[in-house]
Amino acid sequence: MAEFPSKVSTRTSSPAQGAEASVSALRPDLGFVRSRLGALMLLQLLMIFNISATVLYITAFIACSAAVDLTSLRGTRPYNQRAAASFFACLVMIAYGVSAFFSYQAWRGVGSNAATSQMAGGYA
């Protein structure tokens, strides 16, 4: 029991140091985001977001279109609301699909390969 206090080392930090460390842990690493790997990672996240949004809007378009009753009268309020929702879902679905396509093209690097980049770099 007499040896116990000599083996224990207690170090405490001031509250200011602890708060500073927790704030710095929440800051994003801008050096990583500016690197090629970080940019590719962000591009992949955007591409995944656009693809999943496209799929969700496809299901919304199908659901809204199926909800429009064939027996309901055109020009009535429920018919117009469902038709407008279907139209909006279709437009947003197309926009997200086009955005996902361009994100994929940028991710894949269309138009730049080793041969064209060497030629352009040598003669430009």
Side-chain angles (χ1 to χ4, degrees):
M1 223 31 176
E3 298 172 4
F4 179 72
S6 64
K7 291 183 179 180
V8 175
S9 65
T10 57
R11 293 184 202 161
T12 59
S13 61
S14 66
Q17 289 175 349
E20 185 179 306
S22 65
V23 171
S24 66
L26 295 177
R27 290 185 189 146
D29 184 12
L30 295 179
F32 175 71
V33 173
R34 290 180 184 145
S35 69
R36 282 188 175 192
L37 184 63
L40 286 174
M41 186 182 76
L42 289 175
L43 187 63
Q44 279 185 329
L45 289 175
L46 285 174
M47 184 176 62
I48 290 169
F49 171 78
N50 288 333
I51 290 172
S52 61
T54 302
V55 169
L56 289 175
Y57 273 102
I58 286 172
T59 58
F61 172 68
I62 292 170
C64 286
S65 298
V68 176
D69 294 328
L70 296 176
T71 58
S72 62
L73 299 174
R74 285 190 174 194
T76 60
R77 185 176 173 99
Y79 181 85
N80 289 340
Q81 287 175 342
R82 289 186 180 120
S86 297
F87 179 73
F88 177 74
C90 183
L91 286 181
V92 174
M93 171 193 63
I94 291 170
Y96 273 117
V98 168
S99 181
F101 173 75
F102 286 129
S103 294
Y104 176 73
Q105 294 291 345
W107 174 72
R108 199 176 78 174
V110 172
S112 67
N113 58 26
T116 58
S117 63
Q118 291 295 323
M119 292 298 291
Y123 294 107

